[in-house]
Amino acid sequence: MATKGASGVESAQRAVLFADVCDSTALYETLGDALVCQFRDADKAFRAACDMQTSAATLSPRSQAKFAIKISFNYGPVVVKDDDLFGDTVNVCSRLNTLGGPEQVLTTQQTFDALTPGLRVRCRQLYPLKVKGKAEQIMVYDVLWRLDPDITERDLPARPLAARMVAVLKISYGGESFTVGPAQEVLLGRDKGNDIIIESTRASRVHARIFGRDGNFVIADQSSNGTFLLIDGNSREMLLRREEAVMGERGWVGVGKSAEGHGTHVLRYRLERRGA
C-alpha cells in the first residue's frame, strides 16, 4: 500500500536489503561491492537474502580468493521518490550492514514480526542495538540461511560431513512412536485413514501433514481449528492456519488447541541425525 503526493513522493511499506562484498578490493572494478534492493514484503527479502548467501557459498570453493558477502534487510515505512528510498527503515538497514560479518544475514524485530511463521523459526535473536537518531533500541536477529537452520558453524569445508548425515523425525503420541524419514510424509488427524490418528474432537478429519524438506521437517496445517507449534527454546507458540513451518530440533504440536497444556491433542517430536 502506498500513498502518493502531488510532489511525486510516496509513503509506502517496503523491505530494504543491503548486500556488501567482504574484502572486495580485487572484485570492485568488475563487480562493484554493494547492492541495495527493495521488496514489497518481508518474506521476499528473506528468501532473496538466503538465496544470495547460498549462491556466494557455492561460488567460493571454485575461486582463488574466497567470495563472501554480508547482508541486512529491514521492513517498515519508507519514503519513495523516483527509484530512491528514504527514512528510518533505510537508515537502520544501513547501520545493520556495518555490523554484519561475512556469510551473515541480519534483520530486526519489526521485520521478524512481519515474516510468516514458517520463516520466523529460522531467525535467532541476538542483541539490542542503539541506532543514532532513535530513542529506543532495535533488537537484532540473525537469519539462519543455510538449509539446516540449526547449523551455527561458519566453516564451509565442514559441510560435506553434514551432507552425509540423514535426518529422521521421531514422533511420540498416545504411547506409540512414529518415525518419519527425509523422503516420507505422514498425515495426522481424526479420520482412521491417517498415519497418526488423533483422539481429540479438536482435530479435523485430516488435520495436518508432516514431511521432510532440505534436511529439515515441515508441518503444514490443513484444518479448521489450526495447528499449534511450540519449539523447545522458543518462548512464543506459533499458530498455523493453512500455513507451514519448519519444526526445528524438538518440540510439541497441538492439534486444534494450544500445545502448552498436555492432552490427547498434543504430540511430542525430536529430530535425530544418523550417518548415511
Side-chain angles (χ1 to χ4, degrees):
M1 179 85 182
T3 57
K4 191 169 185 177
S7 62
V9 176
E10 295 180 79
S11 298
Q13 293 285 122
R14 292 286 190 275
V16 183
L17 182 150
F18 282 62
D20 279 354
V21 178
C22 303
D23 300 324
S24 61
T25 304
L27 299 170
Y28 179 80
E29 293 184 357
T30 55
L31 298 176
D33 69 343
L35 179 71
V36 181
C37 310
Q38 61 169 303
F39 301 85
R40 294 282 179 176
D41 60 64
D43 281 11
K44 288 184 173 63
F46 182 105
R47 294 190 173 96
C50 293
D51 288 345
M52 292 166 72
Q53 288 291 14
T54 300
S55 296
T58 303
L59 289 172
S60 294
R62 295 200 293 267
S63 59
Q64 292 181 349
K66 185 174 181 179
F67 182 80
I69 58 176
K70 58 181 181 179
I71 299 174
S72 63
F73 66 99
N74 190 31
Y75 179 79
V78 296
V79 176
V80 184
K81 184 175 182 181
D82 298 324
D83 292 328
D84 292 325
L85 303 180
F86 306 91
D88 283 347
T89 298
V90 181
N91 296 337
V92 169
C93 191
S94 177
R95 173 69 175 129
L96 272 186
N97 217 42
T98 65
L99 299 175
E103 305 172 27
Q104 190 170 37
V105 178
L106 297 181
T107 192
T108 63
Q109 179 72 56
Q110 69 181 19
T111 309
F112 174 88
D113 293 339
L115 293 170
T116 52
L119 297 184
R120 288 180 198 158
V121 73
R122 294 171 60 188
C123 299
R124 176 176 58 186
Q125 190 178 93
L126 294 180
Y127 47 75
L129 171 68
K130 183 69 176 72
V131 177
K132 184 178 179 180
K134 294 187 73 66
E136 70 277 12
Q137 291 184 318
I138 304 296
M139 183 57 69
V140 179
Y141 281 78
D142 186 22
V143 172
L144 306 178
W145 56 268
R146 289 186 171 90
L147 292 180
D148 183 350
D150 295 298
I151 293 176
T152 56
E153 58 268 22
R154 298 186 176 277
D155 186 11
L156 285 174
R159 295 181 72 186
L161 176 62
R164 293 196 295 270
M165 301 298 290
V166 175
V168 298
L169 192 71
K170 306 288 286 188
I171 301 173
S172 300
Y173 176 74
E176 294 187 68
S177 295
F178 306 86
T179 300
V180 187
Q184 292 180 310
E185 175 183 272
V186 297
L187 298 177
L188 53 103
R190 196 174 73 249
D191 193 89
K192 300 301 181 184
N194 289 285
D195 301 291
I196 304 176
I197 301 169
I198 307 300
E199 302 291 343
S200 171
T201 56
R202 301 290 299 177
S204 295
R205 292 185 180 278
V206 180
H207 194 97
R209 58 192 182 98
I210 296 172
F211 56 94
R213 177 196 289 163
D214 296 332
N216 303 294
F217 284 88
V218 175
I219 185 165
D221 173 74
Q222 49 193 74
S223 70
S224 300
N225 294 324
T227 300
F228 294 75
L229 180 63
L230 182 58
I231 299 172
D232 286 9
N234 286 16
S235 59
R236 183 164 56 180
E237 184 178 51
M238 286 185 284
L239 170 58
L240 306 176
R241 291 190 180 277
R242 306 288 174 165
E243 299 167 302
E244 62 179 45
V246 177
M247 299 174 72
E249 286 288 317
R250 61 181 66 222
W252 305 85
V253 173
V255 179
K257 187 178 178 181
S258 173
E260 292 182 340
H262 295 294
T264 57
H265 68 290
V266 178
L267 300 83
R268 176 67 168 163
Y269 69 87
R270 60 186 173 86
L271 194 69
E272 285 188 359
R273 300 194 183 278
R274 303 171 178 174

